[in-house]
Amino acid sequence: MSQQPPPPPYGGPPQPPYGGPPNPYGPGQYPPPEGQRPGMSNKSAFWIGVVLALPALFVVSLVLGVGAAVGEGLVGDPAVGGVISALLGVGLLAGLVTAIVVPKTRWFALGVLAGAAILLIVAAGACVVLLIALTQSYS
């Protein structure tokens, strides 16, 4: 009788005599490493969101402005435009929170938030420079 060879020194499981099950990923292909999923990485989704921050802020401003103008134009009362603008703002905030909660859009939404914060900081710096230039022109 023939004896089975001892297991390898590193302690791997013994292999079946007729080979293992077929590779479900195809010949020469292997599963992705642990913790990685196929598709876009979180880092690239974040930076795409940062790039999309300026167009997103433009669209949000357009939606809020048009909604308030239409509401005020239909009724003729500026308070109605303010209420409609507030409701649209709450709706857009709910959309952003939903985008953060959904795993597929989470990093895009976080990138848009970060891009909006960067734009706000740059705009505040430009405002300070313009105010200093304005006050220096009166001296």
Side-chain angles (χ1 to χ4, degrees):
M1 282 205 206
S2 68
Q3 291 183 341
Q4 290 283 348
Y10 52 84
Q15 297 296 324
Y18 300 109
N23 187 358
Y25 297 98
Q29 297 179 354
Y30 301 100
E34 287 294 320
Q36 292 183 359
R37 59 182 161 88
M40 190 178 302
S41 69
N42 292 340
K43 191 183 296 186
S44 62
F46 176 82
W47 286 110
I48 289 172
V50 169
V51 169
L52 291 177
L54 186 61
L57 288 176
F58 177 75
V59 169
V60 166
S61 302
L62 190 68
V63 167
L64 290 176
V66 168
V70 167
E72 185 178 335
L74 290 177
V75 179
D77 187 13
V80 173
V83 169
I84 290 176
S85 180
L87 289 176
L88 286 173
V90 168
L92 290 169
L93 179 64
L96 181 64
V97 169
T98 303
I100 290 175
V101 170
V102 175
K104 288 189 178 232
T105 60
R106 177 174 297 147
W107 287 101
F108 291 109
L110 290 173
V112 168
L113 278 176
I118 291 169
L119 288 172
L120 182 68
I121 291 169
V122 168
C127 184
V128 167
V129 168
L130 287 174
L131 285 174
I132 291 173
L134 183 65
T135 57
Q136 294 296 321
S137 68
Y138 288 124
S139 311

